Amino acid sequence: MAPTTKLSLAELQAKSKQVRRDIITSTTTAGSGHPTSSLSGVEVAVALYFGGVMRHDPKNPSWPQRDRFILSKGHAAPLLYAVLAQAGYFPREQLPTLRKLGSPLEGHPNMRRLPGVEASTGSLGQGLSLGLGHALAVRLDGYDSRVYVMTGDGELDEGHVWEAVMAANKFKADNLVAIVDQNGYQQTGATSVVLDLRPLAPKFEAFGWFAQEIDGHDLNAVLGAFDKAAKTKGQPSVIVARTVKGYPIQKVLASDPNHHGKPLTKEEEKEALALL
């Protein structure tokens, strides 16, 4: 049985701060990337890897009975890399090589180049289908593994997502959990302006999913939601995590609350790290 890491709440909060530091510094060092899209999902990812939710083994990343996390919003790769490094999948000293030529820390996750990456993502809308495939495969293999997929809220504009939603209900994939990082923005602006899909939870419920809506920056709420999802049988689960893009350094980016696909300048980095 692979280990499950379960830190205390104070330790999880400290881990979240360190992950945020790594996201900010790695993207500023690279001079490109998506720091704000990464920052909004930190508590969810930290809870999964360090809050006793996922069974995984950095020493044996391909262990067949592991739980899986798929980052469907692949542009938030700095979040995934920071968490994987903290978990021991590769040395943390490698994080500054983000987006550099020859580095396995590509701009979007590449499962062929980095241990711990379960799917090559970044073409939005595909991650939930990939996750459903994993969920059905481990069921066929007779394992009780669980699969977690993080999507963006803008990503839900993709029809491919809803095909996966319907199929997951058909196959009663109760080992599949979708997490919607509802930070309110997508590439070209606010989701409320581009295509307002709110309220999200009732839409998933209409397709037969067990839906929860939480504060995605409240670690207790995140852990509680994962616990409820694990106890839900006969239907897939979705957690709509209300988050803030760039949390908690919004003050540094006050002139541009979306700040999509742009690293912080050196001066902004200094201010953001001080704020943390």
Side-chain angles (χ1 to χ4, degrees), residues 9 14 26 48 73 78 114 141 153 174 188-189 220 234 238 267 273:
L9 183 61
S26 65
L48 281 170
K73 46 176 281 182
L114 200 65
D141 288 335
D153 49 349
D174 54 13
T188 57
N220 277 321
V238 63
E267 191 56 40
L273 293 177

Side-chain angles (χ1 to χ4, degrees), residues 173-232:
D174 54 13
N175 59 337
L176 176 65
V177 181
I179 308 106
V180 180
D181 181 12
Q182 190 181 28
N183 63 30
Y185 285 92
Q186 57 197 98
Q187 184 175 26
T188 57
T191 53
S192 59
V193 175
V194 177
L195 185 59
D196 194 351
L197 296 180
R198 297 170 301 175
L200 291 176
K203 289 180 172 62
F204 280 88
E205 288 172 335
F207 286 108
W209 286 54
F210 172 62
Q212 304 176 72
E213 193 166 351
I214 62 166
D215 177 349
H217 297 305
D218 181 338
L219 279 162
N220 277 321
V222 173
L223 291 168
F226 281 133
D227 185 57
K228 282 185 182 178
K231 293 173 180 174
T232 299

